[in-house]
Amino acid sequence: MKFIKIYLLAAILLPAGTVLAQHMDSIPRVTPFSGVKDYRTWSIGFNGGGSSVSTPFSAPNDFNDIDFKNAGVVYGAYIKKQIYHGFGLQADFMRGQVMGTQKANQTPYPLNGLAGGVDKFKTAIHWSASLSGVFTLGTINWLNKQATVLPYISAGGGYMAYHTQVTGNGGYSYVDENGNLSSSKPSASKSFFIPVGLGARFNVATGVNIDLGYHLYFVNDKKFDGVYGTGRDDKFSSLNLGIEFALGNKQKPQLAVVNPAAQLAMDLWDRNEALKEELKASSEKNEEELQGVQQQIVDLQNLQKDSDGDGVPDAHDKCPNTEPGMRVDGAGCPLPQPKQIIKQEKVVVTQEDRKVVDEAIKNLEFDLGKATIRPNSYESLDRVAELLVNKNFSLKLAGHTDNTGSNSLNMRLSKDRAESVKSYLVSKGANPSRIEAVGYGDTQPIATNDTPEGRQQNRRVEFTLY
């Protein structure tokens, strides 16, 4: 009857557990191939059930006439360490009874080697401790993201302490450690045993499993059932129903019930989605940069546009729409027609002219690391522009830098600064065809670059008037 009740309880609990597990939508995520740090690997469990001296391996005459109305009850607890998805180590503690009564219509079973006959026995297991390897089957489920039914097999070894009491010839007797009958309770017998089991765990909630298992216990003793014979060692079995709780951080999944195939699929999906988002963001950024480059090209084309063809870009042309072929100044305005052409054999640059240029060099300043002329340099540059317009001088602008930065950067910066001075002078009326702007970078220092003062002297634009 006890076995029947256990089966009925299992029949009620297990389908309910399966339904609950199938509706669990939130599955904690883990990082594949990173060990067990993202999992809960420890768990504890409690179980109980019925016991019987009969097993599938019992000989035909080993208590084959036992009446199981008085089947025993066992109960216990365990702690388990899951090492891999499909393998763990489980330490079990168990107490309980194994008993049997010979059917009334059978001849009393003889005590092999002892006087009298046995018609009833009861073995009280005071304690038993064992360590088993548990192999979980079917951890990969291709239908659901999480495994719900986890079959397993187990095997190990352990040690137990027990007392056996028998009824024979109308009286109760204990069986001592040597297999002799004793009227008083002797010291507990101790024996090694091998537990072997099979069963299934049913995941009913996150970190909670129902455990249904059938176990065989091969005892290294011949007096466990009270009949000290010369045949095989004794054995018994149990059918247990229990509950298991995962220990640790509730945000982590239990290693034993995680479906690794589903976790890997979810990880690949997330990586694919992340890659798509990354590619989308990169594409949008490239599109913005392309639009910026296209606008810069348009701006440069506008700066170089010369609508009237007088050689002065529209951006600097103060007199647009001049007649074709008309001589213009640096601002694009017509020059007065000379009454006579005077051939000048030699251009004479006076000391006063050089003083104007030297003053402009002395006052010339740029923004740090840029080719932008500072406003305090405009006044002296205006005098140079006036000199170029009035005396029709030619001017060479040579840009120089110190050795700070790369060679390519210094060469570009020196050239840009010379061009910036030229553009300013042209905007003030100077003829662009008479101004040459070159950059030499840090190739022609006039002072040491090892001191701040020396580097300051090397950052310059030289004016050569001719």
Side-chain angles (χ1 to χ4, degrees), residues 300-426:
L300 289 174
Q301 291 173 343
N302 291 334
L303 287 175
Q304 297 174 356
K305 187 177 181 180
D306 182 10
S307 300
D308 54 10
D310 59 1
V312 179
D314 291 351
H316 303 292
D317 197 343
K318 294 183 178 180
C319 301
N321 302 319
T322 56
E323 294 294 332
M326 183 173 292
R327 295 176 64 245
V328 297
D329 59 17
C333 295
L335 291 172
Q337 298 296 323
K339 295 181 179 179
Q340 59 181 359
I341 299 176
I342 301 176
K343 185 176 181 180
Q344 187 174 346
E345 298 294 335
K346 184 177 181 181
V347 176
V348 178
V349 180
T350 68
Q351 191 65 29
E352 288 298 322
D353 298 334
R354 290 191 176 91
K355 184 177 179 180
V356 171
V357 172
D358 291 341
E359 187 70 16
I361 296 174
K362 180 179 178 181
N363 294 332
L364 182 60
E365 293 182 3
F366 296 92
D367 288 342
L368 183 62
K370 298 180 179 179
T372 305
I373 303 173
R374 292 183 175 177
N376 57 345
S377 303
Y378 292 163
E379 183 176 353
S380 57
L381 288 176
D382 290 343
R383 289 195 289 273
V384 174
E386 183 179 0
L387 187 65
L388 294 176
V389 172
N390 293 337
K391 294 193 175 184
N392 206 26
F393 287 148
S394 296
L395 180 66
K396 180 179 179 180
L397 301 170
H400 302 271
T401 67
D402 59 22
N403 65 348
T404 303
S406 65
N407 293 335
S408 60
L409 176 63
N410 290 334
M411 190 64 70
R412 185 172 66 253
L413 180 60
S414 63
K415 172 69 173 175
D416 290 345
R417 285 180 171 177
E419 289 288 349
S420 181
V421 174
K422 177 181 178 179
S423 296
Y424 183 84
L425 295 175
V426 169

Side-chain angles (χ1 to χ4, degrees), residues 71-91:
V73 174
V74 292
Y75 57 92
Y78 63 83
I79 183 168
K80 185 175 69 170
K81 168 66 174 178
Q82 197 72 23
I83 300 176
Y84 301 106
H85 284 286
F87 177 74
L89 292 176
Q90 180 171 311

Side-chain angles (χ1 to χ4, degrees), residues 85-259:
H85 284 286
F87 177 74
L89 292 176
Q90 180 171 311
D92 287 91
F93 176 81
M94 183 179 68
R95 295 192 64 182
Q97 297 175 341
V98 180
M99 60 174 60
T101 302
Q102 188 166 259
K103 292 181 179 179
N105 61 348
Q106 300 296 329
T107 304
Y109 200 96
L111 277 171
N112 297 333
L114 298 176
V118 172
D119 56 15
K120 180 187 295 185
F121 85 94
K122 179 173 70 174
T123 299
I125 302 173
H126 301 304
W127 59 264
S128 74
S130 62
L131 180 66
S132 300
V134 181
F135 297 87
T136 304
L137 312 175
T139 57
I140 296 179
N141 188 328
W142 298 104
L143 300 179
N144 301 306
K145 290 184 178 180
Q146 183 134 329
T148 55
V149 181
L150 300 167
Y152 66 85
I153 58 175
S154 64
Y159 207 67
M160 69 167 62
Y162 61 90
H163 274 106
T164 301
Q165 189 177 22
V166 298
T167 302
N169 295 327
Y172 287 93
S173 299
Y174 288 98
V175 179
D176 64 16
E177 293 180 346
N178 299 317
N180 299 316
L181 297 179
S182 173
S183 59
S184 60
K185 190 173 184 179
S187 299
S189 298
K190 296 180 177 64
S191 178
F192 175 78
F193 70 97
I194 296 175
V196 177
L198 60 89
R201 289 186 172 89
F202 300 81
N203 184 227
V204 296
T206 302
V208 181
N209 304 310
I210 297 297
D211 187 357
L212 177 65
Y214 178 75
H215 300 272
L216 299 175
Y217 304 89
F218 297 87
V219 184
N220 187 29
D221 203 340
K222 294 181 173 61
K223 61 181 184 302
F224 180 82
D225 58 9
V227 179
Y228 189 67
T230 58
R232 295 175 296 176
D233 290 338
D234 291 333
K235 60 188 75 70
F236 68 97
S237 63
S238 69
L239 179 65
N240 297 345
L241 180 65
I243 187 168
E244 179 185 61
F245 300 96
L247 303 177
N249 188 347
K250 293 183 179 180
Q251 301 302 317
K252 295 182 178 181
Q254 186 180 1
L255 178 60
V257 302
V258 165
N259 183 0

